Amino acid sequence: MILKISLFVFLAFLNAVAFSQIQFSPKEFLGYEIGEKFTRHHEVVSYFQALEKAFPSNLKVEKYGETYENRDLILASIGSSENLQKLEQIRTNHVNVDKNENVAIVWLSYNVHGNESSGAEAAMETAYRLLTDKKELLKNTVVIMDPCLNPDGRERYVNYYYQYGNRIPDSKEFSAEHMEPWPSGRPNHYLFDLNRDWAWMTQIETQQRLIKYNNWLPHVHVDFHEQAIDEPYYFPPAAEPYHQVITKWQRDFQKDIGKKHASEFDKNNWLYFSKEVFDLLYPSYGDTYPMYSGSIGMTYEQGGSGRAGLSVLTKVGDTLDLKDRVLHHVTTGLSTVELSSDKADKLIKEYQNFRKENRFKYKSYILSGSQELLEPLINQLEINGIIMESALENTAVKSYNYQSGKLESYSIKKGDILVSTDQEKGTLATVLLEPKTQLSDSLTYDITAWNLPFAYGIDAYASENKITGKAFAKLNPIKNEIHRNCYAYLVRWNSFKSAKFLADLQSNGIKVSYHDQTFKLNNQIFEPGTLIINRGENQRADFDEKVIKIANSHQVQLSSTATGYVDEGLDFGSSHVRPISQKKVGLLMGDNASSLSVGEVWHFFEQQLKSEVHLIWENDLESAFEEINTLVIPEGSYQLSGNESLKKWIEEGGNLIVMGAAASSFASAEYDYFGIKSKENPDTTSKELNYSAVERNDISKAIIGAVYKCELDKTHPLNFGFNRYETLRQSADSYSMAQGLKLVRLDKNPKALNGFVGSEVNEMQSEAIIAGIHEIGSGQVVYLIDNPLFRGFWERGKMLFSNAVYLVGN
């Protein structure tokens, strides 16, 4: 009897194994081979859930959040049955740098760009292979897999392909199935590039993912991508510049993985390249952010992307199909796990060394500024896991002053914040806060400056000595109280919080004005821009309760006054106290617009201000003019300067806000109607170059994300709330304006505070306009030449944009 039962159990076990490996292969579950069709996101999620049921001791699925369009975000943890049972212990041992740590952690991320569609398909196949014929790799390795970082973008792409793809795929590139329309499936719902959002975490997909990522800080992280159709496969080692904080071990592993992948590709005669194009500098990528957190961060790029569809002919006449693209990603994914398994002991040892060593020139950063300016920076550092301390007052330290660019003695003030590089996230803190980015090569893939002290408008000092502080204590929350007999409530216009407070008041039907002069009241000085919420203009029973509730929710400090008669300056009935009209904002969108810029503005209004914005197709613009009083032209290339309806709308009081590269659409040889003209580039056409020097010569004419200090006309509402402003220049395009409109500009012969500036464009930056206004009839055009909402992380830029929306033209 015992023998019969044992035999029955054994046969049942064999049947279960056979069933799990057949029924839950991608083909059996989906009904088609991976690569024959595009798999919709809910089917990808369902497949991983099915794998969990089939292999319960080797795979665990966790939902970690949802997208803006309410699609699931999941992680799959894959390991041996022993390791999966003690998954939390493995994580704890790793993050606590336990001497007994013995399991390598590999994190594989797919489809951060939605139309790089082979990613999610490869994730399913890779997971299945790890659970079946490659399960021996899991003996000392845990694999965490995110099969789709950007479900909303992926579904936008897949929906398009199913609408226009032929029954038999058309491999001709001119076919509709290869011509994905604006804005493409690359970005997420708000049209952000999620691969440039890791450090800034402006999007909910990134915010939710980074909570999980920073809880693990894996040894290895791979970001799977696609590039242009005709490009061979790219894998590390990466191109220069490497940021100087990247260790020799991280560089060596990049070389090892390159050799490992090359051997696999050589066997199959597949083309590939490395050491070109994709560098390791900008901190908010899926390869660099992990690098700066101690991982081996890597980007893999397969030819294809949104133009490839299911099958496409390349320029050499080969057919590139989805199956090939998936196979290449599966090959590098498994190869990565294999090398990580082989080098598990070394990965663990070197990660622990990374955590213990303080290799940085500056050992402490001192951050100084008002509560309103420090708070958002503190939040940004906290969500990145960077630990802060409260500085000890009146301590004198020798440090590098970011503003002067000199080594000086600084006396620490009350409220100053300390960030030591002697911490788990010390490397990331260094990269985000350091005064100057060191470039080993000026030929880079992205911007070369992103300093958070400049982005947040605070003073900063870097010390080569570690400065001791005390436990960080957050400031007490603001609790405003009702003053039922007050004449008005006042709020200083001093940060982006002030703008969010104003938007909330207006959305609740409360009328607000601002004072355009300095005044003194109740022994307090109020700077221009101060908001005045007058009881007499808001005759409603819930006036006090509503104002107090909104102020407390935004943590802005209210002052109250029993009179409109000021001690010094102009009274509240003066014409210099200007009512802020209800803004009816339109945002132009369409083929001529940068989808990224559209998304930055859209997200700014909907998710940050919580205010309404109307998305308007360019062809429908004329029909919208009667319903809007503010129009934002995002970055792009337009033909609007001859639009008579637009001119008439401005003349009758419209507020036109033109951003970044869109300024070129309104510039002319003379100042002409729109009051702006391009500054001429220096003539270099006579220079003779070798072919190999052309690329480097081109960057001599470029600015690749450099920070400049600006000169401000502080008497104009566009600059209210600023003591100073540093701009992030994203291009070398320079403009001049008619006299009197240069409200934000660069100095004469300015020098960048940080970042790369090409040698041939230095002269063009002299007195270049950063922001200005040209009045036309009763309206105006506001030019924001350096996009202040770029990627949503330049905090002081949000204030400049808010001024353009709310304070200009009232």
Side-chain angles (χ1 to χ4, degrees), residues 238-243 246 254 278-282 287-288 291-292 297-298:
E240 292 286 352
Y242 283 60
H243 195 285
I246 294 174
Q254 291 241 332
F278 304 105
D279 59 67
L280 291 172
L281 187 70
Y282 173 68
D287 55 6
T288 50
M291 276 286 204
Y292 301 147
M298 296 178 289

Side-chain angles (χ1 to χ4, degrees), residues 124-186:
M124 291 187 288
E125 183 69 25
T126 303
Y128 180 71
R129 294 284 303 279
L130 286 170
L131 293 168
T132 54
D133 63 302
K134 294 293 183 180
K135 60 185 177 183
E136 75 279 358
L137 301 179
L138 303 177
K139 62 183 183 297
N140 62 347
T141 309
V142 166
V143 177
I144 301 172
M145 185 177 288
D146 190 330
C148 189
L149 281 66
N150 183 7
D152 293 350
R154 178 179 166 83
E155 284 300 282
R156 190 183 309 126
Y157 173 74
V158 173
N159 284 341
Y160 173 79
Y161 189 85
Y162 277 125
Q163 285 178 329
Y164 294 98
N166 288 349
R167 182 177 60 83
I168 299 175
D170 188 341
S171 61
K172 300 295 184 182
E173 194 176 346
F174 59 75
S175 173
E177 64 192 69
H178 301 293
M179 296 294 182
E180 188 186 7
W182 189 96
S184 86
R186 178 182 173 89

Side-chain angles (χ1 to χ4, degrees), residues 667-710:
S668 60
E670 301 300 329
Y671 290 116
D672 202 19
Y673 186 85
F674 288 98
I676 187 172
K677 69 177 182 178
S678 297
K679 296 177 75 172
E680 294 297 324
N681 291 318
D683 183 11
T684 59
T685 55
S686 61
K687 184 184 291 186
E688 292 186 9
L689 297 171
N690 292 328
Y691 176 74
S692 62
V694 170
E695 187 175 23
R696 291 198 175 276
N697 181 66
D698 286 344
I699 67 168
S700 70
K701 306 172 187 175
I703 292 178
I704 310 174
V707 179
Y708 282 88
K709 181 181 179 181
C710 296

Side-chain angles (χ1 to χ4, degrees), residues 59 74 117 121 203 364 369 440 492 610 658 682 729 734:
L59 186 144
I74 65 167
S117 50
E121 312 292 344
Q203 304 299 291
S364 292
S440 60
R492 288 179 169 82
K610 308 295 184 185
V658 180
R729 300 232 71 192
S734 297

Side-chain angles (χ1 to χ4, degrees), residues 374-392:
L374 278 175
E375 276 183 354
L377 177 54
I378 289 169
N379 293 336
Q380 187 69 49
L381 295 174
E382 281 185 332
I383 63 174
N384 276 291
I386 295 171
I387 297 171
M388 291 157 283
E389 293 180 308
S390 295
L392 299 174

Side-chain angles (χ1 to χ4, degrees), residues 321-336:
D321 59 35
L322 182 58
K323 286 185 177 180
D324 295 328
R325 291 150 57 199
V326 170
L327 177 59
H328 299 159
H329 271 338
V330 172
T331 300
T332 55
L334 294 174
S335 176
T336 300

